[in-house]
Each structure stands twice: as C-alpha cells, then as structure tokens.
Amino acid sequence: MNVVWILAKNTFREIIRDRILYGLIVFALLLVGFSLALGQLSFTEQARISGNFGFAGIHISSMVLAIFIGASLVAKEIDKKTVMTLLVRPMSRLQFILGKCLGLTFVISTVILGLALVMYFVFLGLGLEVYPNFLKALWGILLEAILLLGMAMFFSSFSRPMMVICFSLGIFFIGHWLNNLTYFSEQSESEGFKSIAEVITSVFPNLERFNWRDQVLVEKFIPDDLILATVYSFAWFSFCIVLTSFIFRRKDFG
Amino acid sequence: MNILEVEDLHKSFKKGFIPKTYNVLKGVSFTIPKGTITGFLGGNGAGKTTTMKCVLGLALPDKGEIRFFGDSELSTEVKAKVGFLPERPYFYDYLTGEEFLKFYGEISGKFKSQFDLKARIDYLIKKVDLQHARDRSLKGYSKGMLQKIGLAQALIHYPEFVILDEPMAGLDPDGRHYLSELISETAKQGTSIFFSSHLLNDTEKLCENLVILRDGVVQFSGGTQTFLGQMGRTSHIKYQGDSMIESVEVENGEPLQMKIDELRKASRTIISVSPNITSLEDAFVGFAMDKKRENL
C-alpha cells in the first residue's frame, strides 16, 4: 500500500477520534438546523434563507477544519516527536506532508458531505426544491478548503500554530475581499491605488472564485468556470506544498 | 562488513535570541560491525542523541559522512532495513497497541499480506509482554509499556539494523529483563543493534562493542572486553615462588613495571600478568575521571 495513503488513513483516524471535531460538527449542525427554523419564518425567500444558513454552516466548518486543524497537523507531530518514528521509515518528507494533507482533506470532505445530507433533509422538510447545482457549491467549498490547507501547511513550516492560524485567517479574509478591491481600483482615479490593488490581487488567491453558494440558490446558476477553479485551487495547493517541502527538507527534528 | 560507518561528523545548533552557535558534534567517527550489539555511552549532553538523529536523517549534519551496509547513503531502501526507537517515545495515543503496530507495519511496506503482519504483531506483542493491553489505547499505557510497544514498532519490519535511544530508561527490573532478552534474541537472528544507555550493567551484559562519546568527540570505539581490560586499575602477577606459585596484585603503570623488574632481578619466573577486569560501571567512571583530568 502506498505510504501517502497509509498516512492519510491514519490522519483521518486521528482527527475523527479527536473531540474538537465533534464540537465543530455540533456547531455546524446547529447552524444548519437554525436554517430550518428561519426558513419556516419566511414566506417568500424560504429557499434562499435556509440555503444561505446551510451553506454558511458547511463553509465555516470546513474552513475551521482546514485552518485550525491544518495549522497543527504537522506541528503536533513535531511537538509529540511522533515525526521521528515516521520519517525514519521508507518515506520522503514530501510524502509525509502529502499524507497528512490527504487525511485532513478526507475529513473535510466527509464533514461537507455529512452536513450537506442534513441540509438536504432540511430542504425536504421545508418542501423546497434541491438542485443538482448544490453539489457544485459544495465542490467550491472543498476547493477553497484545499487551498487554505495548502496555505496553512506552508505557514506551519516556519511558524507556530497560533501564527499559522492568524496568517491563514488573513489569507481567508483578503481572499474574499479581492473582488471588492478590484471593483474599487477600477472606480479609483489614483494610479498608486490601482498599482497596489494589482499587486495584491496577483499575490493573494482569490477565494471568491469558489463561491457559487448564492448563485446556485438564486439563479440555479451553472458555474462555467468549474474546471478552471479546480485547476486554480490545485495549482495554489501544489505551489504551497512544494514550498513547504523545500523548507521541511532542511529542518532538524527532535 | 560494517553496518554503519560514521566519519568526521560535525553538527552545531544555533540557540538564543541573538543566535549563539553550539558545537555538539566535533568530528565523530566510529563503525558498527555487522551482527553485533554496540553500546553508545556518554554523559548527558555528550551528543549521543544528536549523533543518532544525524545518522537517521532527522538532523542534517554540517559536515561528515554516514554510510550504511557498506557504502549506501540513507535512502528509502536503506530506511526499509532500519528500525528506530527514540528516547522518551511519544506515540499516537488515540491508537490501540495493535493498531499502532499495524500502522508501522503497513508503512514499512514489508508485509505482503495482512495475515503476515498480524502474525508478526502477535509475536512481538507476546515478546514484549503486552497481550493484556493490545486492545487498549496508548493513552492508558504506562511509561514502561510505551517503551515496550516502541521497541516492538522498531522491530516490526524485521530490520537488519536497529538504533535504540535509551531503550531501558524508565523500566522496572522486570521490564529491563524482557527488553534485554528481546534485544539479545534479535541480535542472534542477525540484526545489528546500536543502543545508547546510562544503565551500564545492562550494557555490559548485552554489548560486544562500545562507542564512548564525550563532549562531541569519540573517546573510545572497540570491544567491550578491550575497554574493560584497558580500564583495569590493577593487575595480577603470577610467579614461581620458593616452593609454590605465588601471586601479587599491583597497581597498573609504573608500580607494575617496578614489580616485574624486581621479580626478574630476584630470578623469579613470571607465569602471567593479567589485568583485573572491573565492571563497566567502574571502568566508565574511571575513564570519565581520567579524561576530565587530562582536560584540566
């Protein structure tokens, strides 16, 4: 069996047996469940309100998993020194990182699917239509989580988990703000502001590229940049992992 | 063939807000012959763990060469033949003893079937006397139990070479006995073992060879008996007396030479001169004191 796969399975088991995950799931379930109550209060925008809350619950929980668990994914192995018994096994440091990432990605996918199932039943309960495009919105959430996980891994190769969380949250907020920045720079007459905005938009990933949550609720929108967004997410993830592996290769352990 | 050759290994660390360089290893060189148990001795901070980490690729040396099995560098092929137990092992506490060994067995890539792996796990769990705790989570293991399961993970893939960092630390006499037996048995099956320890009685019983490190420099590398012979404080001279064989114990060095000269002058036949073998503990302490005096 491939080393990356075995590591991923073990990481999946590690996170699934962690109590923190269940706290997060309870929070997400409350949010999705809340959408049921809110949906019933509204007469005109039932689908939109329930959908927004449902997707928000799934989005927040997967981002929290990617950033908070991702930040300590490798740091925990180093602190507990378990990394010492792993890296002496027939595996490269890159395989180790990939195995850990894949394991967490499995957990995020499981949580997204589980919560989506709950959301599906909420929609059924409210007698609302469920569009197949909802799956695309969920795929967008997963792509965003994978990108942020790559970022968290990169930051964790040179800083402590608390700093990793701060940096990753920064990337999250900037990434969702880039469309606004582009809009303002287009409206602005200041060349300086335009140049700064251009630099920022090219340096940071645009996380709004994965946000189809509103469109699928309102317009039954079929995102036509699905493949492009997938490539965009995986390109950023790969770039981060290559950098992480480069730094990790030069690290002393123990 | 040597299972491990370390040549001129240097390693330094930078510590502090204004980084200060600490030279931990200052040209460490030694060899581990195939099929032997070699003890790695030295005081706290001598550089034993750092040497082991450099050998295993967990720390990157500043300078020096490390060769495995003749002439190979540390690669995934070499790693597949090496087992390691770190000092004060911390393991995945969410796994049970059996799951833990299964994970390391799978990762080694050595087992063709789950059946073979299960048989190996059963054998090792029995060997380290943990049958009663195989389904218990590692969170509930005592320090000694963790040490035992740690040794089992180091041996799970039938390694040709095993490195153990303080394997006996924190074990009760019973546990030490089990572990000594397992180490001996593993060596008899052809595995070369290199282990560090502060428990010199166990080291003396187990090791044919010793590497002694002090302040990042190898002070002795060779056979345990040679070391003990060198470190004997006194020697026994047997000679032909007036009517019977007599013996006398004399301090090594000049007093010994003077006594031999005296017996020759008196036309006594010297039958043998043999150094009194001391325990490894006494020899090691004596050796450390000598080196300390030399450095003053």
Side-chain angles (χ1 to χ4, degrees), chain B residues 4 52 55-56 68 82-86 154 161-165 192-196:
Chain B
L4 177 69
M52 287 181 166
V55 165
L56 290 161
F68 290 85
V82 178
F84 174 55
L85 170 68
F161 179 40
V162 180
I163 298 179
L164 310 168
D165 195 2
S192 311
I193 295 169
F194 181 47
F195 80 92
S196 70

Side-chain angles (χ1 to χ4, degrees), chain A residues 17 77 80 85 89 252, chain B residues 11 60 90 92 104 153:
Chain A
R17 290 182 185 180
E77 296 268 5
K80 289 194 159 190
T85 48
R89 298 286 173 176
D252 287 339
Chain B
K11 178 69 187 171
L60 307 172
Y90 298 87
Y92 300 103
Y104 279 91
Q153 72 77 29

Side-chain angles (χ1 to χ4, degrees), chain A residues 178-220:
Chain A
L178 286 185
N179 279 357
N180 292 337
L181 182 69
T182 311
Y183 173 75
F184 287 128
S185 78
E186 278 165 7
Q187 305 300 313
S188 170
E189 286 174 6
S190 158
E191 284 305 312
F193 179 67
K194 280 186 179 183
S195 315
I196 291 170
E198 206 180 316
V199 170
I200 292 175
T201 45
S202 22
V203 167
F204 292 95
N206 185 353
L207 300 180
E208 280 299 308
R209 292 188 82 151
F210 313 113
N211 185 2
W212 305 307
R213 298 183 289 278
D214 285 337
Q215 286 97 321
V216 295
L217 284 170
V218 182
E219 303 163 17
K220 299 175 193 172

Side-chain angles (χ1 to χ4, degrees), chain B residues 58-292:
Chain B
L58 294 167
L60 307 172
D62 302 335
K63 197 181 145 192
E65 272 193 55
I66 298 161
R67 288 181 295 274
F68 290 85
F69 311 112
D71 62 349
S72 311
E73 285 186 356
L74 188 68
S75 59
T76 43
E77 288 77 28
V78 167
K79 282 179 177 180
K81 298 179 197 167
V82 178
F84 174 55
L85 170 68
E87 187 185 7
R88 288 192 295 272
Y90 298 87
F91 296 126
Y92 300 103
D93 52 14
Y94 55 89
L95 295 178
T96 66
E98 187 172 353
E99 283 173 342
F100 173 73
L101 291 182
K102 189 167 180 260
F103 170 57
Y104 279 91
E106 283 178 351
I107 234 164
S108 72
K110 187 87 180 180
F111 298 93
K112 289 201 175 91
S113 71
Q114 288 292 322
F115 180 78
D116 291 346
L117 177 56
K118 172 95 175 38
R120 180 67 174 160
I121 292 170
D122 289 345
Y123 169 79
L124 284 170
I125 281 190
K126 198 176 165 199
K127 271 286 156 202
V128 294
D129 194 29
L130 284 175
Q131 297 103 309
H132 61 288
R134 67 183 292 158
D135 297 322
R136 202 192 296 170
S137 130
L138 295 187
K139 205 183 282 176
Y141 275 38
S142 68
K143 195 179 171 190
M145 287 160 84
L146 282 176
Q147 205 82 8
K148 288 179 183 178
I149 201 85
L151 183 62
Q153 72 77 29
L155 300 176
I156 187 86
H157 56 302
Y158 304 97
E160 288 178 33
F161 179 40
V162 180
I163 298 179
L164 310 168
D165 195 2
E166 302 280 354
M168 312 275 190
L171 290 182
D172 56 22
D174 210 27
R176 290 216 307 273
H177 174 74
Y178 265 110
L179 238 64
S180 297
E181 287 227 319
L182 187 55
I183 290 172
S184 264
E185 199 177 307
T186 309
K188 275 182 199 149
Q189 287 161 6
T191 305
S192 311
I193 295 169
F194 181 47
F195 80 92
S196 70
S197 182
H198 289 295
L199 297 164
L200 301 183
N201 278 340
D202 297 315
T203 310
E204 186 177 352
K205 276 182 220 156
L206 286 169
C207 299
E208 298 134 89
N209 287 309
L210 291 176
V211 175
I212 300 176
L213 200 64
R214 188 184 143 83
D215 288 336
V217 179
V218 172
Q219 303 283 357
F220 176 86
S221 176
T224 307
Q225 291 310 317
T226 313
F227 177 69
L228 292 176
Q230 272 180 22
M231 291 313 295
R233 299 271 140 189
T234 56
S235 291
H236 238 86
I237 306 176
K238 267 190 191 170
Y239 62 94
Q240 186 63 55
D242 290 332
S243 55
M244 54 196 277
I245 293 172
E246 291 181 20
S247 74
V248 63
E249 192 178 336
V250 190
E251 211 173 304
N252 288 340
E254 209 173 316
L256 178 64
Q257 294 308 321
M258 280 166 65
K259 187 67 189 172
I260 291 171
D261 291 344
E262 185 190 309
L263 289 170
R264 277 188 176 155
K265 269 183 200 159
S267 303
R268 301 288 185 196
T269 308
I270 296 173
I271 298 166
S272 68
V273 179
S274 48
N276 285 330
I277 304 293
T278 68
S279 72
L280 181 59
E281 185 131 18
D282 292 339
F284 182 74
V285 172
F287 185 74
M289 298 291 275
D290 286 351
K291 292 290 166 189
K292 215 171 183 177

